[in-house]
Each structure stands twice: as structure tokens, then as C-alpha cells.
Amino acid sequence: MNETLRSLQARKSVRAFEQRPVPEDCKRAILEAATQAPTAGNQQLYTILDITDQALKDKLAVSCDNQPFIAKAPMVLVFCADLLKWLDAFEEGGASPRRPGCGDLLLAVDDALIAAQNAVTAAESLGIGSCYIGDIMEQCETHRQLLGLPAYVFPAAMLVFGWPTQQQKERPKPRRCRLEDIVQQNGYRRRTGAELRRMFGKETVNRSFEEWSQAFCRRKYNSDFSVEMSRSVRQYLEDYL
């Protein structure tokens, strides 16, 4: 296994950081890697917000589901799906652009997340840990105000970076599903109950499938933050419908 594959296999979310900054040359290398990501039509349908203001980090730590480690992270980036810059460029050039639709938004989200993952991979290669914060999609009104987000700019993901503590380095990476449970050939096939139980067997070593499924549904899928995320994303979608 080469070093790139080894790094991808080993990478895990880091939520506790040493109290030392990410050097500017490392930050620039991570950002440069992000901008070299695959992109639809070379449009780079994203803008990266580098959050350096500590007061803003503190507010995001609260608005993103009260997670204090966000405020303590030495480097915080928000990857925004950005169609507005293209609308402005078209109008600046005298074109007559149509109003962006849902397909345009999803393409821009793809671009933003591919760039984000390039940043994660680059950081990992430097020994810098990272964690995705999906909660940035919640609290639409708050985040629009905090980050100055106009219509057609959607916060697709937030990432926090820093040097992992020894405990974080030693913490086991959560097990993933087996390849056979994820990959299907030539088309989608709905899984049977037995296949689902086998797929999530890694979660049911010490409890029944029913116990795990119901608890996880309550904690994640039916949670207040998940409902709020759907509400907020629906609000962002109003610009496109």
C-alpha cells in the first residue's frame, strides 16, 4: 500500500487539538490543494471562507450544535457552494444569465465538497487533523448573518483543522461497512432485512439490531438538529425554486 492509500485508510475525525497554530505555509498548502480539486467545467463553483476572527469562531461553536472544540481549532474553513460569483461575472460581461436552479446548486455543492476533501487529504499528509462540521447547514438565518451569505451562496461544509492530541492519535478509527455491503454492480438494488443486519453488524456486537437501530434513529435521524438542518436547507432552496 502506498503512502497516499495508507493516509486515506488511517484518516479519522479529530476533535481535540494541541494548543499550537497551523503555520501559514501549511495553511497555504492546504488551500492550494483544495483549489486543485476536480471541478465541473473548471468553474470552481465555490468560495472558501477562512475564519480567523476568534469571536466569530466562538459564535460558530455555539450555532453549530454547541461544540466547543470548533472555537479551539487553530484553523477553520467554510466551503460555500457559490453560484453568485458566476451570475455577477456573466452580468459584468453583458450576458443574460438565467436564474440558478436546483441542479446548479447540487453541482456547486459537489465542487465545494470535492475541494474540501482535497483540503482534508492535504492536511492529513502534513500530520494535521481535521473534522467536518455539517451543522453549518443549520441555523440558516444565523449563519447568513454571521458569514454575510447572500442568495445563491450556500455553506456546504465547515472544516476545523489542528494538530491532534496524543489521545486523538491513539483513538481507534470507527469501523466502516465492508466493501461488499457498499458496492453494487450496474444498478441499485434495495437491500433485504438480512443484508441490512449484516451490513450494520459492526454496530451490534453487544446489542441487538433493534436496540441499535432505534437508539441511532433517535440520536441522529430524528434529532432536533437533523430536523433543523432540513428546515434550514429548505430555506436556502427557496432561492432556487
Side-chain angles (χ1 to χ4, degrees), residues 38-80:
T39 169
N42 199 29
Q43 295 174 86
Q44 293 183 281
L45 295 163
Y46 54 84
T47 290
I48 305 170
L49 306 182
D50 180 12
I51 310 299
T52 58
D53 183 87
Q54 186 59 51
L56 181 52
K57 285 186 189 179
D58 293 342
K59 291 175 181 176
L60 289 170
V62 174
S63 64
C64 290
D65 205 30
N66 295 302
Q67 300 185 85
F69 73 91
I70 295 171
K72 297 176 183 177
M75 179 173 159
V76 177
L77 303 177
V78 179
F79 287 76
C80 296

Side-chain angles (χ1 to χ4, degrees), residues 175 197-198 200-209 211-212:
R175 289 176 59 194
R197 288 170 184 269
R198 184 186 64 187
F200 296 111
K202 62 187 178 66
E203 308 291 349
T204 58
V205 175
N206 298 315
R207 53 184 168 174
S208 70
F209 180 85
E211 288 173 319
W212 165 78

Side-chain angles (χ1 to χ4, degrees), residues 16-202:
F17 307 103
E18 293 183 356
Q19 292 185 329
R20 58 181 172 123
V22 173
E24 283 302 314
D25 61 334
C26 290
K27 176 189 277 191
R28 185 171 185 87
I30 291 168
L31 289 168
E32 289 280 6
T35 63
Q36 293 303 312
T39 169
N42 199 29
Q43 295 174 86
Q44 293 183 281
L45 295 163
Y46 54 84
T47 290
I48 305 170
L49 306 182
D50 180 12
I51 310 299
T52 58
D53 183 87
Q54 186 59 51
L56 181 52
K57 285 186 189 179
D58 293 342
K59 291 175 181 176
L60 289 170
V62 174
S63 64
C64 290
D65 205 30
N66 295 302
Q67 300 185 85
F69 73 91
I70 295 171
K72 297 176 183 177
M75 179 173 159
V76 177
L77 303 177
V78 179
F79 287 76
C80 296
D82 184 3
L83 294 163
L84 181 61
K85 67 179 181 181
W86 278 99
L87 286 179
D88 288 344
F90 291 143
E91 290 174 358
E92 177 70 17
S96 300
R98 58 176 173 77
R99 181 179 174 180
C102 293
D104 301 299
L105 172 61
L106 289 181
L107 195 64
V109 169
D110 283 350
D111 258 22
L113 295 181
I114 295 168
Q117 187 59 24
N118 254 33
V120 165
T121 303
E124 187 73 13
S125 76
L126 297 169
I128 297 170
S130 60
C131 184
Y132 277 98
I133 310 293
D135 306 274
I136 195 66
M137 292 188 289
E138 299 171 36
Q139 309 296 338
C140 169
E141 297 79 6
T142 297
H143 290 144
R144 273 183 159 166
Q145 186 274 323
L146 283 178
L147 301 174
L149 303 178
Y152 306 124
V153 179
F154 172 67
M158 183 161 74
L159 276 166
V160 297
F161 298 86
W163 305 100
T165 62
Q166 191 61 35
Q167 181 275 335
Q168 289 286 288
K169 291 178 182 177
E170 295 172 356
R171 180 177 58 83
K173 179 176 179 174
R175 289 176 59 194
R176 302 300 199 242
C177 293
R178 302 181 319 158
L179 201 62
E180 297 87 342
D181 294 323
I182 296 297
V183 179
Q184 297 184 349
Q185 292 187 353
N186 301 319
Y188 187 86
R189 180 180 57 78
R190 193 170 185 176
R191 293 163 177 86
T192 66
E195 287 172 327
L196 292 169
R197 288 170 184 269
R198 184 186 64 187
M199 177 188 293
F200 296 111
K202 62 187 178 66

